[in-house]
Amino acid sequence: MAEKRVAIIGGGAAGLMAALVARRFGAQVTLLEKNPRVGKKLLATGNGRCNFTNMDLDLGHFHGTRPPFAQGALSQLTGAQTLAFFRDLGIEPREEEAGKIFPASGQASSVLDVLRYQVEHEGVEVVCDATAKSLIKNGDEFTIHTSAGTFNAQAVVIATGGKAGPQFGSTGDGYNLAISFGHRLVEPFPALVQLRLKAPFLKGIAGVKFVGQASIHQGHLLINQAEGEILFTNYGISGPPILALSRTAGEIQAQHKEALLKVSLLPNQQTTDVAQYLERRFREQGTKTAEFSLVGFINKRLIPVLLKEANIELKEKAARINTIQTAALAKLLTAWTFTITGTNGWTAAQVTAGGLDVRDIDSQTLGSRLVPGLYFAGEIIDIDGDCGGYNLQWAWSSGFTAGLSAALYAT
Ligand SMILES: Cc1cc2nc3c(=O)[nH]c(=O)nc-3n(C[C@H](O)[C@H](O)[C@H](O)COP(=O)(O)OP(=O)(O)OC[C@H]3O[C@@H](n4cnc5c(N)ncnc54)[C@H](O)[C@@H]3O)c2cc1C
């Protein structure tokens, strides 16, 4: 009997995994990729080093409208199985801080090289420069119209990614293919991305870096917080804790509500303790100007901005700064509050929050509940992960699940 055909649309992390697994489970597989080569985004991951999974894959690291949905695929290809899969391909894992796993080579390109080799070695037909334009189903057969011709298959996996990083090929095309069959979309927004802030002085402090704490608030309510290296930029703020909080900010803004960012330059210090310290410092440095009295305590580029915000004249003698001004400065140092005007756009985002509504997808097979034989994998689905290898793990696990299910359906 002739092998049945599975077509995979999108040759990113999820599509490559789905193609390989579908092939291993006996299907004849065609992988259709829009770019001249597969896996362009993989090369950019982990700053070129590819943080491909994490030792701690607790479900709490995955997000979406219904995060438990992710468990179905994550338990079909676990973290340990992912490490074994890549070891088998030649990728020796190396653990770094916070359980992050990178290839020992330190090169994202090595992950892509072994995947490309394996896919071709095991007989997957890879067709590049093939942008899928439409997908239709007639009887038991799907027809995919692409810029490189028409392809038929009994089962199809859509793994076209979300909208993050359109420069790598993911421009949200898969949403339209799925919507054409009646799938619902949870409005996508950029995540793991820098925040834009409303403040007139940003250009003056752009480039200032510090280890601090950041938190997102809705009115008086603390919603989420993170610590680490923070960087002011001319549009707002960046750094790992900011990227980690960007999803929360995006979610609040998607509800058309105001999100506030509070930044502490002195993490884990109480405002009252800082005020007492400043009072003592201003007494001891009393003959100096307010501006000079803070040199050695606060980054010099921040001093004029903070003093202005606290209503303190730069040239005022430190001894003359009153308690109200000191309290205002202490508040700024421990909870500098900014209105978030938005996030940077898709080009800067590492991941897409939102995507295909999981209510229309079976969590165990990643099959469409609307169209038999249609499967989804990767970032196109309304699941995203924290920074730290979680998004690629989702791509591997969901690619594995969808590839396996598609092969079993087709054969
Ligand atoms: C700069 C950057 C760094 C990152 N670093 C990490 C990291 O270190 N660790 C981590 O876990 N995650 C990281 N991520 C996130 C991770 O890369 C993605 O979540 C993951 O690659 C998503 O895989 P995917 O296969 O679902 O989608 P994608 O990788 O986006 O692949 C989708 C593929 O489909 C193709 N395609 C799109 N439309 C069509 C069409 N119409 N026809 C045919 N093909 C199409 C695209 O060209 C693309 O090749 C990073 C992301 C970025 C942008």
Side-chain angles (χ1 to χ4, degrees):
M1 203 177 86
E3 283 176 315
K4 296 287 179 68
R5 277 195 162 273
V6 171
I8 316 281
I9 308 178
L16 285 163
M17 176 62 93
L20 196 52
V21 173
R23 181 74 192 129
R24 286 182 178 180
F25 280 85
Q28 192 180 328
V29 181
T30 303
L31 177 61
L32 301 166
E33 167 56 45
K34 176 196 228 177
N35 286 327
R37 279 162 71 100
V38 294
K40 189 172 179 193
K41 190 184 283 178
L42 264 176
L43 295 174
T45 57
N47 284 325
R49 294 196 305 127
C50 188
N51 173 199
F52 69 98
T53 183
N54 196 290
M55 291 307 287
D56 165 23
L57 292 180
D58 188 272
L59 197 57
H61 292 289
F62 296 88
H63 313 286
T65 314
R66 289 170 179 76
F69 175 90
Q71 193 61 56
L74 289 171
S75 53
Q76 295 200 41
L77 183 76
T78 63
Q81 288 165 327
T82 303
L83 292 181
F85 171 89
F86 278 104
R87 253 206 188 102
D88 199 42
L89 265 52
I91 297 294
E92 193 53 38
R94 190 165 62 201
E95 185 178 343
E96 296 192 7
E97 101 289 344
K100 293 177 185 169
I101 305 286
F102 295 84
S105 61
Q107 292 175 303
S109 60
S110 53
V111 175
L112 180 57
D113 286 348
V114 298
L115 278 170
R116 284 184 57 211
Y117 169 83
Q118 207 65 29
V119 157
E120 280 163 28
H121 182 70
E122 296 196 26
V124 171
E125 182 195 12
V126 178
V127 186
C128 289
D129 291 312
T131 304
K133 308 264 189 204
S134 71
L135 174 65
I136 47 174
K137 191 175 186 196
N138 270 326
D140 287 340
E141 190 152 280
F142 289 93
T143 302
I144 308 157
H145 293 287
T146 80
S147 52
T150 299
F151 297 83
N152 296 313
Q154 278 74 47
V156 171
V157 178
I158 303 183
T160 46
K163 293 178 96 170
Q167 64 276 31
F168 305 112
S170 42
T171 47
D173 298 5
Y175 299 144
N176 294 332
L177 300 178
I179 287 168
S180 72
F181 286 104
H183 274 267
R184 290 170 285 183
L185 183 69
V186 175
E187 197 52 38
F189 58 90
L192 295 183
V193 66
Q194 305 84 355
L195 295 179
R196 296 183 160 271
L197 304 176
K198 188 163 115 189
F201 47 75
L202 287 171
K203 284 208 167 63
I205 60 173
V208 172
K209 252 187 207 169
F210 57 97
V211 174
Q213 193 174 48
S215 50
I216 303 282
H217 300 251
Q218 210 180 330
H220 292 296
L221 207 60
L222 167 68
I223 312 286
N224 203 353
Q225 60 184 353
E227 261 183 59
E229 192 169 71
I230 297 173
L231 168 74
F232 282 114
T233 66
N234 55 14
Y235 55 79
I237 197 158
S238 180
I242 300 299
L243 301 200
L245 293 173
S246 60
R247 188 189 205 289
T248 308
E251 223 166 1
I252 296 172
Q253 293 204 316
Q255 298 160 15
H256 305 289
K257 295 193 176 135
E258 188 180 72
L260 297 175
L261 176 79
K262 289 193 186 186
V263 169
S264 175
L265 296 154
L266 306 169
N268 306 317
Q269 293 197 38
Q270 299 299 317
T271 311
T272 46
D273 295 341
V274 173
Q276 276 173 16
Y277 168 78
L278 286 173
E279 266 170 30
R280 204 170 59 241
R281 186 175 176 106
F282 289 146
R283 255 197 328 272
E284 287 168 4
Q285 310 277 323
T287 55
K288 293 181 181 170
T289 61
E291 187 177 18
F292 194 52
S293 74
L294 290 168
V295 171
F297 178 49
I298 300 173
N299 182 305
K300 272 191 260 184
R301 292 187 49 212
L302 293 179
I303 295 173
V305 172
L306 286 164
L307 288 177
K308 198 166 169 220
E309 292 290 293
N311 263 325
I312 302 171
E313 288 286 331
L314 304 193
K315 301 290 170 224
E316 181 68 281
K317 285 279 175 275
R320 291 177 57 90
I321 299 170
N322 66 36
T323 47
I324 295 171
Q325 291 170 314
T326 306
L329 183 58
K331 187 81 199 286
L332 288 166
L333 289 170
T334 51
W336 200 355
T337 305
F338 298 89
T339 299
I340 299 169
T341 54
T343 64
N344 266 354
W346 290 114
T347 310
Q350 284 190 20
V351 75
T352 310
L356 292 183
D357 194 324
V358 298
R359 287 175 300 176
D360 300 329
I361 303 172
D362 181 275
S363 66
Q364 299 307 309
T365 62
L366 298 186
S368 163
R369 290 191 190 280
L370 313 176
V371 189
L374 181 61
Y375 299 85
F376 302 99
E379 208 174 296
I380 189 173
I381 301 174
D382 176 20
I383 291 291
D384 56 283
D386 287 339
C387 185
Y390 297 98
N391 287 297
L392 281 175
Q393 182 62 54
W394 171 245
W396 311 132
S397 292
S398 59
F400 177 92
T401 305
L404 167 61
S405 312
L408 295 182
Y409 179 86
T411 49

